[in-house]
Amino acid sequence: MARIHKTAIIEDGAQLADDVEVGAYSIIGPHVTIGAGTRVGPHCVIDGHTTIGANNHFYRFCSIGGIPQDKKYAGEPTRLEIGDGNTVREYVTINTGTAQDVGVTRLGDDNWIMAYVHIAHDCQIASHTIMANGVQLAGHIHIDDWAVIGGLSAIHQFVRVGAHAMIGGTSSIRQDIPPFVIGAGDPFKPVGVNTEGLRRRGYSAEDLSQAKELYRILYRRGLSTDEALEQIQQLAQSSSAQLAPVMSDFLQQATRGIVRP
């Protein structure tokens, strides 16, 4: 049976699984769907055309599904989709999408979103990411699986952050960050490979060696991005390690140029 505090407001049309918990003074809007096992803390507002999966935990004072902070927004029924198993801490804000993009903001599964994070319209966040306190994402950003973003970092609109990348705190990111890269700064500067993160996630010694070689090709040999991509594609064809195809795909999709030392 759902546990709804007597001071909470669940508007007509909202769909909540039988065991959803909603804390004191929280408001759930009429176009919201919330899956089994999800907990909504006190003083939260969840509205907009928002779909939330199972076993998420929203701590107090979150604002989820608000309209985009975009002057072009004209009331279109854009959406927010949140997967399963996410932890969303205090004062996090996540907005719906815009008609100028895919029309939906997405947050995947098992993400750890710390206090005061802002996820703007049309962001596409994959799964298993970590965003420390105060991370600020502008619109249309893509964050791939297992990326880690340090506290108080800000990311420019349309930037993509690759899988397993690790961004140090208070960084300013204006260009795409390739997979497995670790770095920090304003502007962000790459300094190496996130080998420890890859190791913790079960990648082999061969994979770790290839990740270091990919970094050397991209940043240590004086190659243009196109020249580096050509060598990376050759490496992907000649090696059984898993990471060169990931890097190749990322570079082919990069639209803002990649970060440079």
Side-chain angles (χ1 to χ4, degrees):
M1 181 178 179
R3 295 174 56 189
I4 311 297
H5 194 276
K6 64 181 180 181
T7 61
I9 298 173
I10 312 299
E11 297 192 35
D12 291 342
Q15 300 179 46
L16 278 60
D18 290 342
D19 60 350
V20 168
E21 299 181 17
V22 181
Y25 301 103
S26 286
I27 301 172
I28 310 296
H31 305 295
V32 174
T33 299
I34 302 179
T38 290
R39 293 176 287 167
V40 178
H43 298 278
C44 291
V45 177
I46 302 180
D47 57 0
H49 290 78
T50 297
T51 300
I52 297 170
N55 301 314
N56 298 283
H57 190 180
F58 298 90
Y59 284 71
R60 59 188 68 87
F61 298 105
C62 290
S63 177
I64 309 298
I67 65 172
Q69 297 178 110
D70 186 326
K71 288 186 176 180
K72 297 184 296 300
Y73 180 72
E76 301 91 346
T78 54
R79 297 177 290 123
L80 168 63
E81 297 176 357
I82 295 176
D84 302 331
N86 297 287
T87 296
V88 182
R89 294 301 303 252
E90 297 84 356
Y91 295 97
V92 168
T93 57
I94 308 177
N95 295 157
T96 57
T98 65
Q100 287 73 39
D101 199 329
V102 294
V104 55
T105 304
R106 293 187 177 95
L107 180 68
D109 302 328
D110 298 310
N111 295 286
W112 186 265
I113 311 299
M114 298 188 197
Y116 294 95
V117 168
H118 174 63
I119 300 175
H121 54 85
D122 303 294
C123 285
Q124 309 293 310
I125 314 301
S127 297
H128 312 291
T129 69
I130 297 174
M131 299 184 201
N133 297 316
V135 167
Q136 304 294 293
L137 303 187
H140 317 282
I141 289 169
H142 288 230
I143 309 290
D144 293 342
D145 290 338
W146 298 104
V148 178
I149 305 174
L152 301 175
S153 293
I155 304 183
H156 194 281
Q157 62 183 349
F158 295 102
V159 160
R160 182 178 177 192
V161 177
H164 305 279
M166 188 170 184
I167 299 169
T170 68
S171 293
S172 179
I173 298 97
R174 303 177 182 91
Q175 292 179 295
D176 294 349
I177 299 179
F180 336 123
V181 166
I182 188 170
D186 180 7
F188 178 93
K189 299 292 184 183
V191 298
V193 174
N194 184 16
T195 52
E196 184 58 31
L198 292 170
R199 186 180 294 112
R200 290 178 181 178
R201 289 154 207 152
Y203 284 92
S204 67
E206 182 183 8
D207 290 322
L208 297 179
S209 177
Q210 186 177 85
K212 294 175 183 178
E213 176 63 9
L214 291 168
Y215 188 87
R216 286 191 288 268
I217 292 171
L218 203 54
Y219 290 122
R220 293 289 184 257
R221 295 183 181 165
L223 302 174
S224 69
T225 302
D226 288 342
E227 291 169 336
L229 175 59
E230 183 177 353
Q231 290 195 14
I232 289 167
Q233 289 173 328
Q234 293 171 359
L235 184 62
Q237 294 172 358
S238 62
S239 171
S240 60
Q242 304 178 51
L243 301 183
V246 177
M247 183 67 80
S248 175
D249 289 346
F250 183 93
L251 294 177
Q252 290 180 78
Q253 296 173 29
T255 59
R256 291 187 57 82
I258 63 170
V259 292
R260 289 290 180 182

